[in-house]
Amino acid sequence: METTAINPSAKLRIDTERRRSVNCILKNYKDSKSNLISILQDIQEKFSYLPTETLEEVAKKLNLKLIDVYGVATFYKSLRLSPQGKHNITLCLGTACHVRASAKILDEIQSQLGIGPGSTTENRELTFNTVNCLGVCAIGPVVVIDGKYYGRMTPIKTREMLSKYLKKKNFSNKATEKR
Ligand code: FES
């Protein structure tokens, strides 16, 4: 969910534009209800995530309960309810990584970034996600930063790597601080 404060008239304008975009997307689908996933994917492609008002508009126009639209939006991992950062950090918590202590790496990442899995820092620089397998179990635990895979990670290696990464990207100590 969005947390950044914007003034009410700007918010109204953004909401109206987003609802208009949803209606344009809906025109591409004859049997809209059975194409709900495709519609949500199209909305996400436009906004990079699914803003609340777009889900409300979909529910209203398709005569669906909002909770059902949210149900679909939250069921599929590829659909996002919050904006994504410019950079991405992903940690695997699948079985092979879990038995090699990926939970401790999770603690380390959360502590360095100040956010939990599925969240984006307030400055919209970084998004942190966890997954259940990246298909490279032999080198687990695995952390992926901006598409680059780092295998056989430990909490200490993660701390050092993240600290270098945050410094290189010129992020403040806690990437959550607003700029
Ligand atoms: S379980 Fe982590 S890469 Fe497969």
Side-chain angles (χ1 to χ4, degrees), residues 91-98 100 102 131-142 149:
L91 167 68
C92 181
L93 292 177
T95 309
C97 290
H98 176 74
R100 297 181 195 134
S102 58
V131 292
N132 291 327
C133 186
L134 288 160
V136 287
C137 310
I139 60 161
V142 183
Y149 283 59

Side-chain angles (χ1 to χ4, degrees), residues 10-43:
K11 182 172 184 339
L12 184 64
R13 187 172 41 77
I14 291 168
D15 284 6
T16 307
E17 280 169 17
R18 285 174 174 173
R19 286 176 197 274
R20 199 171 293 147
S21 296
V22 168
N23 284 298
C24 286
I25 288 168
L26 288 174
K27 281 182 194 154
N28 297 327
Y29 293 92
K30 277 188 188 147
D31 183 8
S32 301
K33 276 189 189 175
S34 63
N35 285 300
L36 180 57
I37 297 167
S38 302
I39 291 166
L40 296 180
Q41 283 169 336
D42 286 0
I43 295 170

Side-chain angles (χ1 to χ4, degrees), residues 33-60:
K33 276 189 189 175
S34 63
N35 285 300
L36 180 57
I37 297 167
S38 302
I39 291 166
L40 296 180
Q41 283 169 336
D42 286 0
I43 295 170
Q44 181 167 283
E45 198 175 312
K46 179 150 187 71
F47 298 107
S48 87
Y49 74 108
L50 298 169
T52 306
E53 54 277 10
T54 64
L55 298 180
E56 289 168 355
E57 191 67 10
V58 167
K60 187 173 137 194

